[in-house]
Amino acid sequence: MEQRDPLVAGQIPRLDREVRALLNAGRLPEANSLFDEVVTKVSPGVDRWVRSAVLVNRAVLAWRLGRIPLALELAAEGWTDLEADRVDSPAVAQTLGSLGYLLEGIGNRRAALDMVRLSVQVGRRAGNTDTLAQCLQRVGGLLNFRACSGPAEAAPAIFEEARGYLEEGLALVKDEILHRALLGAFGRSLAGVGELEKSEQVARETLHLATVADDLWGISVGNWVLAVVRREQGNLAEARTYASRAVTNAERINDTSLLLRFSTELADICAALGDSVGEAAALRRSVAASRTATETLQEGLGQALEQRRVAVQAQRLAVAAQEAAARDPLTGLANRLGLERAAQALLESTAARGRVPWLVLVDVDWFKGVNDDAGHAAGDAALREIAQLLRRECRADDLVARWAGDEFVVLLGDASNDRDIGPMVAERIRAAVDGHDWTMVLGTARRPTVSIGVAAGPAKLDQLFAAADMALYRAKRHGRNRVEVEPSCEEVPEIVSGN
C-alpha cells in the first residue's frame, strides 16, 4: 500500500481513526479517553478544507459517543468553514459525506441524502479514489436504509441504485476498514434485488474480515444481511439467530441507527415465527433505541436553544458596550465617538431631503471659576444641568453630544424650510442657561453662561465644526454669553444676542 501523510488529500489524522476503530470494536471507554486527547488538536499548517473535514469527522465521533453538544459545536464550526468558499477537493467531499451522516442521525433525512449525493459529485471531480469510495459507501448505506423503511414497491429500484454506488466503491477502495463497510452494505443491496446466494457470500466474507479485525460494526452488519437472506429463503429460525446477533453487536458499539433498523427486523422475524416473547423483547430494544434517539435530538435542540440564548445575550452585551463607548457617563449625552458615528448618517439624510444641516457649538463661560468657587462635584452637577437644558431646547431628531470638558455640540438635521433654525435653537439654549436658577446646584457661586458658535452646511462634520469654532471664538472675544454665526459654509443671517 502507498505511503501517505494522514492529512494529505483530506485524510483523517491517525488518532482520529483510532477512535473510530475503538468505537467499532465496542471499546467505548477507551474511545472516549482517546477522543479527549485529540478533540482540541488540528495539525498546524493544514488548509481550511482539511480542517473542516477533521472537525466534522470529530463531530461524527462525538455523536457516536453520545456527546451531543460537542458534536453540534464541531459540526457547526466545520460546516461554516466549508461554506466560506467551497472547492472541489477530497477534503470537501469527505466533509459533505460526514455532514450527511450527522443530518441522517438528527432526522433531517432528505437533506442527508442530498448532502451525500453531493459529496459523491465533489469526490468524482476531486479525483481521490479513497475519498470517493468513502462517499460512495455513505450514499449506498443511506439508500439501503431508505429502501428498508420506505414503500415495498419502491424498494427494488432503490436497492439497485445503492448496489451501483457500492460496487463502484469496492472497485476503488484500498483501505481495509472502508472495504469492510462497503462490502457489508453491498451485501444488503444484493439481498434487496433478489441475489440471495451472492448476498450470503458477501455477508460471510464481511463477517470473516470483521471478526479478524475485531470490528463489531462489520460483524453486526454481516449478521443483519444473513438474517435478511434467511428470512427471504423462509428459514425464519436461522434468520432470528442472525438478527439477534446483529442487534447485540449494534448495542455494544452504541450505534443507534443500526440498532433501530436491526431490532425492527428482529421483531418482524419473531412475529412471523409466532415468537411473541422474542417479538416483545425486540420491540423493547427498538423502543429503547428510539427513546435514545429522541433524547439525543432533545438534548441537541436544548443545546441549540442555549447556544442561541448565549449568542443573543452576547449580541446585546456587545451592543450595550458599543453604546456605552459612545455615551458620556457624566451627562448621558453622546460623547465625541458617538457624535462622529451618528453624524454622517444625519448629514446624508438631511442633504437627501434638500435641507441644510446646522452645527451648534456650545462652550460654558467661566467654568474654571465655577469649579474653583463651588468645587468639582458642583461643577459636574452644573454640566449635568446644562445637558438637561440642551435636551429640552433641542428637537427630538437633533443630535446632542458632549464634545469634551465644558464643550457641547448640537447637530441639527433641518427638516423644515426655516433657514434660521440653527441660530434660533442656539439662542434658545443661550437664554435657557442664562435664565436658569442655579441656586440649588451652585449656591452663591458664580453662575455659568454659554457662548455659542453656529455654522450651516452642506458640509462634512469637520468642516461644520471648524466653521462653528470660528464663530465661537468671536462670541468669546465679544464678551461671552452670546451667539455668533459663521457664514463661511453657507450664507445665513447673523444674530447677535446677549446681555
Side-chain angles (χ1 to χ4, degrees), residues 117 136-137 139-145 147 155-169 182 185-186 188-190 193:
R117 287 188 191 280
L136 291 165
Q137 189 274 330
V139 72
L142 282 189
L143 286 170
N144 278 344
F145 273 24
I158 299 174
F159 277 125
E160 187 61 49
E161 182 185 2
R163 173 188 176 174
Y165 284 121
L166 296 164
E167 202 164 28
E168 180 185 357
L182 281 159
F186 182 54
R188 183 62 187 93
S189 299
L190 290 171
V193 297

Side-chain angles (χ1 to χ4, degrees), residues 214-230:
D214 194 24
D215 175 8
L216 297 187
W217 188 93
I219 292 171
S220 182
V221 172
N223 277 293
W224 173 48
V225 175
L226 288 173
V228 171
V229 170
R230 290 294 181 265

Side-chain angles (χ1 to χ4, degrees), residues 317-329 333-341 402:
L317 288 173
V319 170
Q322 283 187 334
E323 290 177 351
R327 194 156 300 281
D328 173 47
L333 300 177
N335 60 17
R336 183 169 181 167
L337 175 62
L339 175 68
E340 290 173 343
R341 282 180 178 175
R402 183 183 179 196

Side-chain angles (χ1 to χ4, degrees), residues 34-210:
L34 183 57
F35 185 67
D36 284 335
E37 292 182 26
V38 302
V39 68
T40 59
K41 302 175 184 175
V42 176
S43 297
V46 301
D47 65 45
R48 71 168 178 265
W49 311 123
V50 172
R51 180 177 184 275
S52 180
V54 171
L55 288 171
V56 176
N57 178 73
R58 288 176 182 171
V60 171
L61 298 177
W63 184 270
R64 288 190 58 187
L65 287 165
R67 299 166 66 166
I68 308 308
L70 178 58
L72 294 175
E73 182 181 342
L74 291 167
E77 187 177 354
W79 200 341
T80 301
D81 286 349
L82 177 71
E83 291 298 325
D85 182 24
R86 186 181 299 167
V87 297
D88 290 336
S89 76
V92 171
Q94 196 169 60
T95 304
L96 289 168
S98 297
L99 284 170
Y101 172 89
L102 284 172
L103 289 171
E104 176 77 6
I106 290 169
N108 195 347
R109 303 182 72 202
R110 177 177 297 179
L113 190 55
D114 290 343
M115 190 74 78
V116 293
R117 287 188 191 280
L118 179 59
S119 76
V120 171
Q121 295 172 18
V122 175
R124 290 193 198 284
R125 293 194 295 265
N128 181 271
T129 55
D130 279 356
T131 299
L132 176 57
Q134 186 178 57
C135 296
L136 291 165
Q137 189 274 330
R138 288 199 188 279
V139 72
L142 282 189
L143 286 170
N144 278 344
F145 273 24
R146 292 294 186 281
C148 292
S149 59
E153 61 274 14
I158 299 174
F159 277 125
E160 187 61 49
E161 182 185 2
R163 173 188 176 174
Y165 284 121
L166 296 164
E167 202 164 28
E168 180 185 357
L170 284 168
L172 298 172
V173 73
K174 300 173 184 176
D175 182 84
E176 293 178 2
I177 298 173
L178 184 53
H179 175 73
R180 292 196 299 273
L182 281 159
L183 203 61
F186 182 54
R188 183 62 187 93
S189 299
L190 290 171
V193 297
E195 296 188 29
L196 299 181
E197 184 177 343
K198 186 174 181 181
S199 174
E200 181 171 353
Q201 291 174 356
V202 169
R204 292 199 179 280
E205 183 181 356
T206 303
L207 270 175
H208 170 71
L209 294 174

Side-chain angles (χ1 to χ4, degrees), residues 228-445:
V228 171
V229 170
R230 290 294 181 265
R231 186 195 63 199
E232 294 300 315
Q233 293 172 338
N235 189 342
L236 296 178
E238 280 194 34
R240 177 175 57 188
T241 299
Y242 286 126
S244 295
R245 293 173 184 170
V247 169
T248 298
N249 285 294
E251 285 177 327
R252 289 179 62 189
I253 62 174
N254 196 34
D255 193 316
T256 304
S257 297
L258 292 187
L259 186 55
L260 277 169
R261 178 70 256 155
F262 298 171
S263 57
T264 300
E265 199 92 53
L266 176 58
D268 290 343
I269 293 169
C270 289
L273 275 169
D275 177 7
S276 57
V277 174
E279 180 185 8
L283 288 174
R284 281 195 299 271
R285 291 161 106 170
S286 179
V287 168
S290 180
R291 186 182 300 116
T292 299
T294 301
E295 289 171 354
T296 295
L297 291 177
Q298 288 173 339
E299 184 176 354
L301 287 171
Q303 175 68 11
L305 179 60
E306 175 64 15
Q307 288 176 341
R308 179 58 183 158
R309 183 191 69 79
V310 171
V312 170
Q313 186 179 51
Q315 185 179 29
R316 288 177 178 173
L317 288 173
V319 170
Q322 283 187 334
E323 290 177 351
R327 194 156 300 281
D328 173 47
L330 176 65
T331 63
L333 300 177
N335 60 17
R336 183 169 181 167
L337 175 62
L339 175 68
E340 290 173 343
R341 282 180 178 175
Q344 188 62 34
L346 189 148
L347 292 171
E348 288 177 356
S349 65
T350 300
R353 296 194 302 271
R355 308 302 188 193
V356 178
W358 290 83
L359 187 140
V360 178
L361 181 58
V362 181
D363 183 88
V364 182
D365 298 325
W366 318 117
F367 188 66
K368 183 179 184 301
V370 171
N371 274 333
D372 291 343
D373 292 346
H376 286 282
D380 288 347
L383 291 175
R384 285 193 292 268
E385 270 317 279
I386 291 172
Q388 290 296 327
L389 293 171
L390 285 169
R391 286 196 189 94
R392 189 184 74 189
E393 299 303 330
C394 294
R395 303 164 304 174
D397 292 337
D398 295 336
L399 179 55
V400 184
R402 183 183 179 196
W403 184 254
D406 57 354
E407 280 191 330
F408 297 85
V409 173
V410 180
L411 190 59
L412 300 101
D414 187 12
S416 71
N417 290 320
D418 189 347
R419 291 170 56 84
D420 297 337
I421 190 67
M424 288 172 60
V425 169
E427 175 56 25
R428 287 206 308 267
I429 292 170
R430 188 207 63 77
V433 175
D434 190 36
H436 187 62
D437 182 2
W438 291 99
T439 306
M440 293 292 292
V441 177
L442 300 175
T444 59

